[in-house]
Amino acid sequence: NKKKKEMPGKKKKSGADSVQVAIRVRPHTFTDGGDNRDCLSIDDKYGEVCAKDPDGKRAEKTYAFDTVFPTTAEQKDVFDAIGAPMVDTVLDGYNTTLFTYGQTGSGKTYTIQGLPGAGVRMGQDYDIEKHKGLTPRIAEYLLEKVGEVIEEDSTANAMIEMAYLEIYNENVRDLLTPNGKSESLEVREDAKKKPFVQGLTWKKTINSEQILKHLLLGNTR
């Protein structure tokens, strides 16, 4: 029998479903200074990454994660494993958070936002759809699923609002203010002890294009 091929980023079996930790390993780029030696070996089937010293001076160390995306993983693989399940969880009535962490140049912006939509990068054509990040894919999927619910139930209705803020040096800044200027905002608690940002701008959205438009606006501030 032919062995079934494992998809990149296949989720490792885990008993903890509330918090999932995934790691994505990017391929070598010109920013690496020409040193293209591999220092990681990846087992995405079992969610393990082995760090090794190319010079052989240090002992290897193996780390386990819920999901591992190898250098061959594409944007859609990341969305299928992380983005879509998050939206499904939200529609089941739960809060979700996606937190990205990594050093400068590790690929955070590419994974979350993707490449710019102009269609050309560094003189080379690229497939816009292929390089979409998690944010545009999640926006499209969320609107699609909400639309399906409304079509199936004529009594159902939905309102989607979004906010975009920056937290830097313990200061909270609104990125969607009408005048483009924002002073530091305060994080407070409501009567039910739920945190909220006082004075934060919220935008009603009816399609994924509006969501992306607001995100692009916030990125310029």
Side-chain angles (χ1 to χ4, degrees):
N1 294 332
K2 190 174 181 180
K3 185 178 180 180
K4 185 177 179 180
K5 181 181 178 181
E6 297 288 345
M7 294 298 293
K10 183 176 177 60
K11 181 180 176 182
K12 178 187 175 185
K13 296 297 182 180
S14 172
D17 293 325
S18 58
V19 177
Q20 298 288 322
V21 180
I23 183 171
R24 186 178 192 183
V25 181
R26 69 157 173 78
H28 292 291
T29 68
F30 68 93
T31 60
D32 295 333
D35 187 353
N36 293 329
R37 295 178 298 172
D38 291 327
C39 60
L40 297 175
S41 60
I42 304 163
D43 189 334
D44 52 293
K45 179 179 179 181
Y46 293 102
E48 294 182 345
V49 175
C50 178
K52 55 186 179 181
D53 183 356
D55 296 322
K57 297 179 180 179
R58 299 180 181 178
E60 295 183 354
K61 292 185 178 180
T62 300
Y63 304 89
F65 301 89
D66 295 293
T67 307
V68 173
F69 298 102
T71 57
T72 55
E74 298 186 351
Q75 297 283 68
K76 187 178 183 303
D77 298 323
V78 179
F79 169 74
D80 289 343
I82 296 177
M86 286 187 64
V87 174
D88 293 337
T89 300
V90 168
L91 295 177
D92 285 337
Y94 297 93
N95 293 325
T96 63
T97 300
L98 175 62
F99 180 79
T100 59
Y101 177 83
Q103 66 194 72
T104 300
S106 59
K108 301 184 299 297
T109 301
Y110 174 71
T111 298
I112 298 299
Q113 298 180 6
L115 294 181
V120 176
R121 182 177 176 84
M122 298 181 66
Q124 297 181 345
D125 293 337
Y126 66 85
D127 186 338
I128 297 176
E129 184 66 30
K130 177 180 178 181
H131 292 284
K132 276 185 180 179
L134 277 171
T135 301
R137 291 178 187 273
I138 286 175
E140 293 171 355
Y141 185 68
L142 173 62
L143 271 296
E144 176 187 333
K145 300 300 287 186
V146 169
E148 291 176 359
V149 172
I150 294 176
E151 285 185 6
E152 294 175 359
D153 184 355
S154 58
T155 64
N157 61 76
M159 181 177 70
I160 298 177
E161 293 181 304
M162 67 166 289
Y164 195 14
L165 59 86
E166 175 188 70
I167 303 176
Y168 184 72
N169 285 342
E170 298 185 5
N171 291 318
V172 179
R173 193 165 69 92
D174 189 348
L175 299 180
L176 295 181
T177 53
N179 59 8
K181 299 179 180 179
S182 175
E183 298 180 355
S184 181
L185 303 179
E186 296 292 332
V187 179
R188 301 185 182 279
E189 286 187 346
D190 61 18
K192 296 182 179 180
K193 300 296 183 180
K194 293 183 178 180
F196 72 97
V197 178
Q198 186 172 16
L200 185 64
T201 302
W202 287 86
K203 298 284 189 179
K204 292 182 179 180
T205 60
I206 60 174
N207 54 50
S208 59
E209 288 76 17
Q210 284 188 348
I211 295 176
L212 298 181
K213 180 180 178 180
H214 293 320
L215 290 175
L216 289 174
L217 174 63
N219 288 342
T220 65
R221 297 179 172 177

